[in-house]
Amino acid sequence: MLWITEFSGFFSAALAVILLSPSLQSFSPAAAIRSSHLDAYRESPILRNAGECRFSGGDSGVCNPSYVHVAITLDFVYLRGSIAAVNSVLQHSACPESIFFHFLVSESETSLESVIRSTFPKLNLKIYYFAPERVQSLISSSVRQALEQPLNYARNYLAELLEPCVDRIIYLDSDIVVIDDILNLWKTALGPSTIGAPEYCHANFTSYFNGAFWFDERFNETFKGREPCYFNTGVMVMDLKKWRRFGYTETIEKWMEIQKAERIYELGSLPAYLLVFAGHVAPISHRWNQHGLGGDKVKGSCRDMHEGPVSLLHWSGSGKPWSRIDAKHPCPLDSLWEPYDLYKRSH
């Protein structure tokens, strides 16, 4: 129970700072603990574009057509993972200065901007504050409480949060590391599809919805004429121009309203994406989402790598590498995440 001892000591220290410092007496203990993250990360090394990179500078900012656009969420619970994910993207890119990061942050977590800017002082980035009330009333209970957090649904609103000039984006979950050049994923041809992702057609697709869905005539013909396959929404290439044109945010919200009233699935944000896009997804090589490394729904379980080449490792599931490493009980594959961790161990 080492982690309990460490947390207890850390909490006591944070509380003592509040009590002894008049300037902090208006802070809650939770706020003091969060403030400790502000200097908890080492500064990332500055990386430059290779000579062959084609990048046109200028003052066009986020609208520069040379940028590769990447979106990722930031919150205090997964901050360490998000920072490692960004670091991995930069480390393996031949053109790191040609990447623009779009960070989705809850309106209540404004201090995270200073954390990310101090950790990556030369990063091309913009912070987009997401209002939880935009989606809160649409969220239904899930098998894991983490899947019920409003920020988990922020990807649904990328098309309206980002500038209209951004018509293509790579969305990445916070529990991934990239070990290939992100440009190779960016160049994925989507054809007529709005999103591209690795598909897993061997998975039992029917298990993602319950009997209320499959035995109701209002819902069970949703996939008629389609060949739906499971895909993981933690790694997607998204055509935001098509998304805006066809109003997919509203379509997803309608399915969330149905779920709220009828309870047709048990998971979080994934099933609505399956309902809208499964069968119409541009297939991407499985190498871009070696998922399930978090052990799926079983705490403490370790997973092996899937067969084949690997470009992206994804610790989807209940176990996260930083938590297992700190608890001195890492899984073997967690060692592949650790080199990208910028957290200061003294904290």
Side-chain angles (χ1 to χ4, degrees), residues 269-337:
S269 60
L270 169 65
Y273 273 78
L274 297 179
L275 288 161
V276 176
F277 297 111
H280 300 305
V281 175
I284 294 176
S285 170
H286 289 177
R287 70 185 300 152
W288 283 103
N289 197 347
Q290 285 274 337
H291 68 290
L293 302 184
D296 290 339
K297 301 173 185 176
V298 182
K299 281 192 174 182
S301 64
C302 295
R303 295 289 295 273
D304 293 328
M305 200 90 74
H306 305 299
E307 293 184 3
V310 182
S311 293
L312 183 148
L313 299 163
H314 188 184
W315 279 263
S316 58
S318 59
K320 303 306 172 188
W322 56 90
S323 298
R324 295 191 294 223
I325 288 170
D326 286 353
K328 310 298 184 185
H329 296 294
C331 289
L333 293 179
D334 293 347
S335 62
L336 300 178
W337 177 88

Side-chain angles (χ1 to χ4, degrees), residues 2-230:
L2 177 61
W3 68 272
I4 294 179
T5 303
E6 292 178 344
F7 179 78
S8 177
F10 177 56
F11 183 86
S12 299
L15 189 59
V17 170
I18 298 169
L19 297 175
L20 296 175
S21 176
S23 64
L24 292 179
Q25 285 180 1
S26 60
F27 279 29
S28 67
I33 291 171
R34 287 180 174 183
S35 70
S36 70
H37 283 277
L38 297 180
D39 64 346
Y41 295 91
R42 303 189 307 276
E43 183 177 310
S44 172
I46 305 300
L47 301 172
R48 302 297 184 186
N49 280 359
E52 67 270 17
C53 296
R54 296 180 179 179
F55 180 72
S56 58
D59 298 324
S60 54
V62 67
C63 293
N64 191 317
S66 300
Y67 278 133
V68 170
H69 294 276
V70 178
I72 192 167
T73 59
L74 289 179
D75 70 346
F76 280 101
V77 175
Y78 289 97
L79 178 61
R80 190 167 165 186
S82 297
I83 287 176
V86 173
N87 190 28
S88 72
V89 171
L90 298 173
Q91 293 288 340
H92 291 279
S93 174
C95 308
E97 294 177 289
S98 303
I99 304 173
F100 196 102
F101 285 89
H102 305 259
F103 293 107
L104 309 178
V105 183
S106 175
E107 285 185 337
S108 62
E109 309 285 21
T110 55
S111 61
L112 288 176
E113 180 169 359
S114 62
V115 177
I116 205 72
R117 290 190 183 278
S118 63
T119 305
F120 302 100
K122 297 296 183 180
L123 194 66
N124 301 308
L125 70 91
K126 184 172 180 179
I127 302 292
Y128 301 80
Y129 288 104
F130 180 68
E133 57 269 20
R134 180 72 172 84
V135 72
Q136 187 75 64
S137 64
L138 297 172
I139 298 175
S140 56
S141 59
S142 182
V143 293
R144 293 206 336 261
Q145 190 174 5
L147 300 178
E148 301 172 21
Q149 300 306 309
L151 197 62
N152 195 45
Y153 295 81
R155 74 193 88 183
N156 302 357
Y157 300 93
L158 281 168
E160 65 181 54
L161 288 170
L162 273 55
E163 289 77 0
C165 63
V166 181
D167 54 17
R168 187 181 179 92
I169 194 85
I170 295 172
Y171 176 82
L172 299 175
D173 270 354
S174 298
D175 51 1
I176 64 96
V177 294
V178 175
I179 54 175
D180 195 351
D181 197 321
I182 198 74
L183 182 62
N184 295 324
L185 180 58
W186 175 255
K187 293 189 295 186
T188 298
L190 297 182
S193 299
T194 300
I195 67 171
E199 293 183 293
Y200 303 89
C201 296
H202 64 279
N204 181 10
F205 188 82
T206 60
S207 67
Y208 293 97
F209 303 93
N210 59 27
F213 177 87
W214 292 114
F215 296 110
D216 193 316
E217 292 182 354
R218 294 173 299 167
F219 310 132
N220 60 19
E221 292 193 356
T222 301
F223 298 108
K224 187 176 181 179
R226 294 155 65 177
E227 296 182 7
C229 294
Y230 161 75

